Amino acid sequence: MQRKIIKITAVLCVGIFIYLIIRADPKELLRLLSRLSPLGIVVLILLRVLFWGIRTLSWQVVLSRCSTCRVPFSRLFWAELAGHAVGHFTPSAKLGGDAIRAMMLAPVPKNQSLASVVIDKTIELIATILMMSIGLFITLGRIRMGSTQRLVFLLLTGFTAALILAFFHKQKKGLFIWVLETLKKLRIRSRYLEAKRGRLLEADAIIADFYSHHRLQFLKVFLLYIAMILLWAVEMHFSFYFLGLSTITPMKSFLITMLGIVANIVPVIPAGIGIYDMSYLPIFAIFRIPLRFGITVVLLRRLLNLLMAVIGLLPMLRMKTKPPVAESAAAAAAIPPVDTV
């Protein structure tokens, strides 16, 4: 059943991909690529692969403490790209992608793979909010902007930070049981979730154990995600540079990237169409980036995203069935040995 869900999702994503290509202007895409040197294209693709490599390494560190099953780095890497593909082509965005990458970890028990994905995503979000806040405060101190723009950036950052902190707090006390109890209070019954209550409780225990006993691993993953976000800014800088904007500075690239991250936390429209593009335009105006360079960089980064998403469909289409490890046998090993700072 799990394999069928992944296959069907992959086929739907392929259909959406074909639609997006037809909707786009191929001539404009070719014109964009013609402005880049072969070296520039190679460097940008390598930076994007490195970006996904850091994400995979972070997840591997978390998974090593959530499960005794050892999953090769290459398999985790393909699962990350598969999740990216689903998030890129469907309205489910990040949530759907995370569900798919948890499914791609068979034969790891589902409670352990689910716990690892929740922890990994939470640490990524915490690191992202921190870097967004740093970028915002530097911008407010260096750049003049309208009161409305200031208010929007501050409110979005504050609201997102509060949401992530609340999410983190609930995990330490039992995220899934809280969801079940909340649904019960709202008189919403889910037979599927109730049937999985035992598995969800085990996932809660694994998550709580990670935060309580594996602080060194938490710090390591947190720093890896900080490095990943800085790499995102490096890619932004090289994109401007390779397109011919010689006046761009590393600090400007960093601030543009940090403020632009807000476009990636609005998971509503497939591929972030419209929201992603429009959110960057006022940011380019704030930093006085010529519009033609700004739009070209957005299109270029969209192409890189699209490339990685298409590659991510391959492991979904080729996935083979693997028998899951018996969860009853894995329950005792679900919580690894204590390792504190």
Side-chain angles (χ1 to χ4, degrees), residues 8-21:
I8 292 171
T9 303
V11 172
L12 289 174
C13 288
V14 170
I16 296 172
F17 166 65
I18 294 173
Y19 166 75
L20 292 176
I21 288 296

Side-chain angles (χ1 to χ4, degrees), residues 264-330:
N264 290 318
I265 58 175
V266 186
V268 178
I269 300 175
I273 297 170
I275 292 177
Y276 182 89
D277 303 324
M278 293 302 294
S279 64
Y280 265 105
L281 296 184
I283 297 173
F284 292 142
I286 290 171
F287 292 97
R288 298 183 179 181
I289 300 295
L291 188 59
R292 66 182 186 279
F293 283 104
I295 293 176
T296 303
V297 164
V298 169
L299 289 174
L300 176 58
R301 289 165 75 85
R302 183 174 293 286
L303 281 176
L304 290 170
N305 258 338
L306 181 63
L307 173 64
M308 302 308 293
V310 171
I311 294 174
L313 292 176
L314 300 179
M316 297 172 67
L317 294 170
R318 298 177 58 186
M319 184 178 180
K320 297 180 180 179
T321 302
K322 293 186 179 181
V325 174
E327 292 188 18
S328 57

Side-chain angles (χ1 to χ4, degrees), residues 69-116:
C69 297
R70 292 295 169 254
V71 182
F73 179 88
S74 59
R75 192 154 148 234
L76 288 174
F77 182 80
W78 287 115
E80 279 279 8
L81 289 185
H84 170 60
V86 173
H88 188 82
F89 291 123
T90 68
S92 62
K94 278 71 176 177
L95 296 178
D98 290 330
I100 286 294
R101 65 183 178 121
M103 290 181 184
M104 297 281 288
L105 284 191
V108 176
K110 294 184 179 65
N111 57 348
Q112 297 174 15
S113 62
L114 178 62
S116 73

